[in-house]
Coordinates of all heavy atoms in Angstrom, one line a residue:
M1 N -4.6 21.7 -14.0 CA -3.2 21.3 -13.5 C -2.2 21.3 -14.6 O -2.6 21.0 -15.8 CB -3.4 19.8 -13.0 CG -4.1 19.7 -11.7 SD -3.5 20.7 -10.4 CE -1.8 20.1 -10.3
R2 N -1.1 21.8 -14.3 CA 0.0 21.8 -15.3 C 1.2 21.1 -14.8 O 2.3 21.7 -14.8 CB 0.3 23.2 -15.7 CG -0.8 23.8 -16.5 CD -0.5 25.2 -17.0 NE -1.6 25.8 -17.8 CZ -2.6 26.4 -17.3 NH1 -2.7 26.5 -16.0 NH2 -3.6 26.9 -18.0
I3 N 1.1 19.9 -14.3 CA 2.2 19.2 -13.8 C 2.8 18.2 -14.9 O 3.6 17.3 -14.7 CB 2.0 18.4 -12.5 CG1 0.9 17.4 -12.7 CG2 1.7 19.4 -11.4 CD1 0.7 16.6 -11.4
G4 N 2.1 18.3 -16.1 CA 2.6 17.5 -17.2 C 1.9 16.1 -17.2 O 1.2 15.7 -16.3
T5 N 2.2 15.4 -18.3 CA 1.8 14.0 -18.4 C 2.8 13.1 -17.9 O 4.0 13.1 -18.4 CB 1.4 13.6 -19.8 OG1 0.4 14.5 -20.3 CG2 1.0 12.3 -20.0
L6 N 2.5 12.2 -16.9 CA 3.5 11.4 -16.2 C 3.5 10.0 -16.9 O 2.5 9.5 -17.4 CB 3.1 11.3 -14.8 CG 3.1 12.5 -14.0 CD1 2.5 12.3 -12.7 CD2 4.5 13.1 -13.9
D7 N 4.7 9.4 -16.8 CA 4.8 8.0 -17.3 C 4.4 7.1 -16.2 O 5.0 7.0 -15.1 CB 6.3 7.7 -17.7 CG 6.5 6.3 -18.1 OD1 5.6 5.4 -18.0 OD2 7.6 6.0 -18.7
P8 N 3.3 6.3 -16.4 CA 2.8 5.5 -15.2 C 3.7 4.4 -14.8 O 3.6 3.9 -13.7 CB 1.5 4.9 -15.8 CG 1.7 5.0 -17.3 CD 2.5 6.2 -17.5
L9 N 4.7 4.1 -15.6 CA 5.7 3.1 -15.3 C 6.8 3.6 -14.6 O 7.7 2.9 -14.0 CB 6.2 2.4 -16.6 CG 5.1 1.6 -17.4 CD1 5.7 1.0 -18.6 CD2 4.3 0.7 -16.5
A10 N 7.0 5.0 -14.5 CA 8.1 5.5 -13.8 C 7.7 6.4 -12.6 O 8.4 7.4 -12.2 CB 8.9 6.4 -14.8
L11 N 6.5 6.2 -12.0 CA 6.0 7.0 -10.9 C 6.8 6.6 -9.6 O 7.0 5.5 -9.3 CB 4.6 6.7 -10.6 CG 3.6 7.3 -11.7 CD1 2.2 6.9 -11.3 CD2 3.7 8.8 -11.9
T12 N 7.2 7.7 -8.9 CA 7.7 7.4 -7.6 C 6.6 7.2 -6.6 O 5.4 7.5 -6.9 CB 8.6 8.6 -7.2 OG1 7.7 9.8 -7.0 CG2 9.7 9.0 -8.1
A13 N 6.9 6.7 -5.4 CA 5.9 6.6 -4.4 C 5.2 8.0 -4.1 O 4.0 8.0 -3.9 CB 6.5 6.0 -3.1
D14 N 6.1 9.0 -4.1 CA 5.5 10.3 -3.9 C 4.5 10.7 -5.0 O 3.4 11.3 -4.7 CB 6.6 11.4 -3.7 CG 6.1 12.8 -3.6 OD1 5.5 13.1 -2.6 OD2 6.3 13.6 -4.6
Q15 N 4.9 10.5 -6.2 CA 4.0 10.9 -7.3 C 2.7 10.1 -7.3 O 1.6 10.5 -7.6 CB 4.7 10.7 -8.6 CG 5.8 11.7 -8.9 CD 6.6 11.4 -10.2 OE1 6.8 10.2 -10.5 NE2 7.0 12.4 -10.9
D16 N 2.9 8.8 -6.9 CA 1.7 7.9 -6.8 C 0.7 8.4 -5.7 O -0.5 8.5 -6.0 CB 2.1 6.6 -6.5 CG 1.0 5.5 -6.5 OD1 0.6 5.3 -7.7 OD2 0.6 5.0 -5.5
A17 N 1.2 8.9 -4.6 CA 0.3 9.5 -3.5 C -0.3 10.7 -4.0 O -1.5 11.0 -3.7 CB 1.2 9.8 -2.3
R18 N 0.4 11.5 -4.8 CA -0.2 12.7 -5.4 C -1.3 12.4 -6.3 O -2.4 13.0 -6.3 CB 0.9 13.6 -6.0 CG 2.0 14.1 -5.1 CD 2.9 15.0 -5.7 NE 4.1 15.3 -4.9 CZ 4.8 16.3 -5.0 NH1 4.6 17.3 -5.8 NH2 5.9 16.4 -4.1
L19 N -1.2 11.4 -7.2 CA -2.2 11.1 -8.2 C -3.4 10.5 -7.4 O -4.5 10.6 -7.9 CB -1.7 10.0 -9.1 CG -0.7 10.6 -10.2 CD1 -0.3 9.4 -11.1 CD2 -1.4 11.6 -11.0
H20 N -3.2 9.9 -6.3 CA -4.3 9.4 -5.5 C -4.9 10.3 -4.5 O -5.7 9.9 -3.6 CB -3.9 8.0 -4.9 CG -3.7 7.0 -5.8 ND1 -2.6 6.7 -6.5 CD2 -4.6 6.0 -6.3 CE1 -2.6 5.7 -7.4 NE2 -3.9 5.3 -7.3
A21 N -4.6 11.6 -4.7 CA -5.2 12.7 -3.9 C -4.9 12.5 -2.4 O -5.7 12.9 -1.5 CB -6.7 12.7 -4.1
Q22 N -3.7 11.9 -2.1 CA -3.3 11.7 -0.7 C -2.3 12.9 -0.4 O -2.1 13.1 0.8 CB -2.6 10.4 -0.5 CG -3.6 9.2 -0.7 CD -2.9 7.9 -0.9 OE1 -1.7 7.9 -1.1 NE2 -3.7 6.9 -0.7
R23 N -1.8 13.6 -1.3 CA -0.9 14.7 -1.2 C -1.2 15.8 -2.1 O -1.8 15.6 -3.2 CB 0.5 14.3 -1.4 CG 1.1 13.3 -0.4 CD 2.5 12.8 -0.8 NE 3.1 11.9 0.1 CZ 4.0 12.5 1.0 NH1 4.3 13.7 1.0 NH2 4.5 11.6 1.9
C24 N -0.8 17.1 -1.7 CA -0.9 18.2 -2.7 C -0.2 17.8 -4.0 O 1.0 17.4 -3.9 CB -0.4 19.4 -2.0 SG -0.2 20.8 -3.2
A25 N -0.8 18.1 -5.1 CA -0.2 17.6 -6.4 C 1.0 18.6 -6.7 O 1.9 18.1 -7.5 CB -1.3 17.8 -7.5
R26 N 1.1 19.8 -6.2 CA 2.2 20.6 -6.5 C 3.4 20.4 -5.5 O 4.5 20.3 -5.9 CB 1.7 22.0 -6.4 CG 0.9 22.5 -7.6 CD 0.6 23.9 -7.7 NE -0.4 24.3 -8.5 CZ -0.3 24.5 -9.9 NH1 0.9 24.5 -10.3 NH2 -1.3 24.8 -10.6
C27 N 3.1 20.4 -4.2 CA 4.2 20.5 -3.3 C 4.2 19.2 -2.3 O 5.2 19.1 -1.6 CB 4.1 21.7 -2.3 SG 2.7 21.7 -1.1
G28 N 3.2 18.4 -2.4 CA 3.3 17.2 -1.6 C 2.8 17.3 -0.2 O 2.9 16.3 0.6
S29 N 2.3 18.5 0.1 CA 1.7 18.6 1.5 C 0.6 17.7 1.8 O -0.2 17.3 0.9 CB 1.3 20.1 1.7 OG 0.6 20.2 2.9
T30 N 0.3 17.3 3.0 CA -0.8 16.4 3.4 C -1.8 17.1 4.2 O -2.8 16.5 4.6 CB -0.3 15.1 4.1 OG1 0.4 15.6 5.2 CG2 0.6 14.3 3.2
T31 N -1.7 18.4 4.3 CA -2.7 19.2 5.2 C -3.4 20.3 4.4 O -2.9 20.8 3.4 CB -1.9 19.9 6.4 OG1 -0.9 20.8 5.9 CG2 -1.3 18.8 7.3
D32 N -4.6 20.6 4.9 CA -5.4 21.6 4.2 C -5.6 21.4 2.7 O -5.4 22.3 1.9 CB -4.8 23.0 4.5 CG -4.9 23.5 5.9 OD1 -5.9 23.1 6.5 OD2 -3.9 24.1 6.4
L33 N -6.0 20.2 2.4 CA -6.1 19.8 0.9 C -7.6 20.1 0.5 O -8.5 20.2 1.2 CB -5.9 18.3 0.8 CG -4.5 17.8 1.2 CD1 -4.4 16.3 1.1 CD2 -3.4 18.5 0.3
R34 N -7.6 20.5 -0.8 CA -8.9 20.8 -1.5 C -8.8 20.3 -2.9 O -7.7 20.1 -3.5 CB -9.0 22.4 -1.4 CG -7.9 23.1 -2.1 CD -8.0 24.6 -1.9 NE -6.8 25.3 -2.3 CZ -6.6 25.6 -3.6 NH1 -7.4 25.3 -4.5 NH2 -5.4 26.2 -3.9
P35 N -9.9 20.2 -3.6 CA -9.9 19.7 -4.9 C -9.1 20.6 -5.8 O -9.2 21.8 -5.7 CB -11.4 19.8 -5.3 CG -12.2 19.6 -4.1 CD -11.3 20.5 -3.0
G36 N -8.3 20.0 -6.7 CA -7.3 20.8 -7.5 C -7.3 20.5 -8.9 O -6.2 20.7 -9.6
G37 N -8.4 20.0 -9.4 CA -8.4 19.7 -10.8 C -7.9 18.3 -11.1 O -7.9 17.4 -10.4
Y38 N -7.3 18.2 -12.3 CA -6.8 16.8 -12.8 C -5.3 16.9 -13.2 O -4.8 17.9 -13.7 CB -7.6 16.5 -14.0 CG -9.0 16.0 -13.7 CD1 -10.0 17.0 -13.5 CD2 -9.4 14.7 -13.5 CE1 -11.4 16.6 -13.1 CE2 -10.6 14.4 -13.1 CZ -11.6 15.3 -12.9 OH -12.9 14.9 -12.6
A39 N -4.7 15.7 -13.0 CA -3.4 15.4 -13.5 C -3.6 14.3 -14.5 O -4.6 13.6 -14.5 CB -2.4 15.1 -12.4
Y40 N -2.6 14.1 -15.4 CA -2.7 13.1 -16.4 C -1.5 12.2 -16.4 O -0.4 12.6 -16.3 CB -2.9 13.8 -17.7 CG -4.2 14.5 -17.8 CD1 -4.2 15.9 -17.5 CD2 -5.4 13.9 -18.2 CE1 -5.4 16.6 -17.6 CE2 -6.6 14.6 -18.2 CZ -6.6 15.9 -17.8 OH -7.8 16.6 -17.9
T41 N -1.8 10.9 -16.7 CA -0.7 10.0 -17.0 C -0.9 9.4 -18.4 O -2.1 9.4 -18.9 CB -0.7 8.8 -16.0 OG1 -2.0 8.1 -16.1 CG2 -0.4 9.2 -14.6
A42 N 0.2 9.0 -19.0 CA 0.1 8.4 -20.3 C -0.6 7.0 -20.2 O -0.5 6.4 -19.2 CB 1.5 8.2 -20.9
S43 N -1.4 6.7 -21.1 CA -2.2 5.5 -21.1 C -2.0 4.7 -22.4 O -2.3 5.1 -23.5 CB -3.7 5.8 -21.0 OG -4.5 4.7 -21.2
G44 N -1.3 3.5 -22.2 CA -1.0 2.7 -23.3 C -0.1 3.3 -24.3 O 0.7 4.2 -24.1
T45 N -0.2 2.8 -25.6 CA 0.7 3.2 -26.6 C 0.2 4.1 -27.7 O 0.8 4.4 -28.6 CB 1.3 1.9 -27.3 OG1 0.3 1.1 -27.8 CG2 2.2 1.1 -26.3
D46 N -1.2 4.4 -27.5 CA -1.8 5.1 -28.5 C -1.9 6.7 -28.3 O -2.6 7.4 -28.9 CB -3.3 4.7 -28.7 CG -4.0 4.8 -27.4 OD1 -3.4 5.3 -26.3 OD2 -5.3 4.5 -27.3
G47 N -1.0 7.1 -27.3 CA -1.0 8.5 -27.0 C -2.1 9.0 -26.1 O -2.3 10.3 -25.9
G48 N -2.9 8.1 -25.7 CA -4.0 8.6 -24.8 C -3.6 8.9 -23.4 O -2.4 8.7 -23.0
R49 N -4.5 9.6 -22.6 CA -4.2 10.0 -21.4 C -5.2 9.6 -20.4 O -6.4 9.6 -20.7 CB -4.0 11.5 -21.3 CG -2.9 12.1 -22.1 CD -2.6 13.5 -21.8 NE -3.7 14.3 -21.9 CZ -3.8 15.6 -21.5 NH1 -2.8 16.2 -21.1 NH2 -4.9 16.3 -21.7
L50 N -4.8 9.3 -19.1 CA -5.7 9.0 -18.1 C -5.8 10.2 -17.1 O -4.7 10.7 -16.7 CB -5.2 7.8 -17.2 CG -5.7 6.4 -17.6 CD1 -5.1 5.4 -16.6 CD2 -7.1 6.3 -17.5
G51 N -7.0 10.7 -16.9 CA -7.1 11.8 -15.9 C -7.3 11.3 -14.4 O -8.0 10.4 -14.2
W52 N -6.7 12.0 -13.5 CA -6.7 11.7 -12.1 C -7.2 12.9 -11.4 O -6.5 14.0 -11.5 CB -5.4 11.3 -11.6 CG -4.7 10.1 -12.3 CD1 -4.2 10.1 -13.5 CD2 -4.7 8.8 -11.7 NE1 -3.6 8.8 -13.7 CE2 -4.0 8.1 -12.7 CE3 -5.0 8.2 -10.5 CZ2 -3.7 6.7 -12.5 CZ3 -4.8 6.9 -10.3 CH2 -4.1 6.1 -11.3
P53 N -8.3 12.9 -10.6 CA -8.7 14.0 -9.8 C -7.7 14.2 -8.6 O -7.5 13.3 -7.9 CB -10.1 13.7 -9.3 CG -10.1 12.2 -9.4 CD -9.2 11.8 -10.4
V54 N -7.0 15.3 -8.6 CA -6.0 15.5 -7.6 C -6.4 16.7 -6.6 O -7.4 17.3 -6.9 CB -4.6 15.9 -8.3 CG1 -4.2 14.7 -9.1 CG2 -4.7 17.1 -9.1
V55 N -5.6 16.9 -5.6 CA -5.9 17.9 -4.6 C -4.7 18.8 -4.6 O -3.6 18.5 -4.8 CB -6.2 17.2 -3.2 CG1 -7.5 16.5 -3.2 CG2 -5.0 16.4 -2.8
L56 N -5.0 20.1 -4.1 CA -4.0 21.0 -3.8 C -4.1 21.4 -2.3 O -5.2 21.5 -1.7 CB -4.2 22.3 -4.7 CG -4.0 22.0 -6.1 CD1 -4.3 23.3 -6.9 CD2 -2.5 21.6 -6.5
C57 N -3.0 21.9 -1.8 CA -3.1 22.4 -0.4 C -3.4 23.9 -0.4 O -3.4 24.5 -1.4 CB -1.8 22.2 0.4 SG -0.5 23.3 -0.1
K58 N -3.8 24.5 0.7 CA -4.2 25.8 0.9 C -3.1 26.8 0.4 O -3.3 27.9 0.0 CB -4.6 26.1 2.3 CG -5.5 27.3 2.5 CD -6.0 27.3 3.9 CE -5.0 27.4 5.0 NZ -5.6 27.4 6.4
G59 N -1.8 26.4 0.5 CA -0.7 27.2 0.2 C -0.4 27.4 -1.2 O 0.4 28.2 -1.7
C60 N -0.9 26.5 -2.1 CA -0.6 26.5 -3.5 C -1.7 27.1 -4.3 O -2.8 27.0 -4.0 CB -0.4 25.0 -4.0 SG 1.2 24.3 -3.4
P61 N -1.3 27.8 -5.4 CA -2.3 28.5 -6.2 C -3.2 27.4 -6.9 O -2.8 26.4 -7.3 CB -1.5 29.2 -7.3 CG -0.1 28.5 -7.3 CD 0.1 28.0 -5.8
G62 N -4.5 27.7 -6.9 CA -5.4 26.7 -7.5 C -5.4 26.8 -9.0 O -4.8 27.7 -9.6
S63 N -6.2 25.9 -9.6 CA -6.2 25.8 -11.1 C -7.3 26.8 -11.6 O -7.4 27.0 -12.8 CB -6.6 24.4 -11.4 OG -7.9 24.0 -11.0
G64 N -8.1 27.3 -10.7 CA -9.2 28.1 -11.2 C -10.3 27.4 -11.7 O -11.3 28.1 -12.1
A65 N -10.3 26.1 -11.6 CA -11.5 25.3 -12.1 C -12.7 25.6 -11.2 O -13.8 25.5 -11.7 CB -11.1 23.9 -12.1
Ligands
LIG101 ZN1 0.8 22.5 -2.0

């Protein structure tokens, strides 16, 4: 996934749904979803990241994972 590292304090409801694999991580579709790798959010103040298993829809290019 290359949707960047998100600020967990600034997530929209849509981004939250994508991180929880309820929507396609790229386009937000809720149909024909499949495993799509990981997205990341910033974790704490030490520069760490949290990985989230996300999904992609059939219409978006996969991560190749
Ligand atoms: Zn999609």
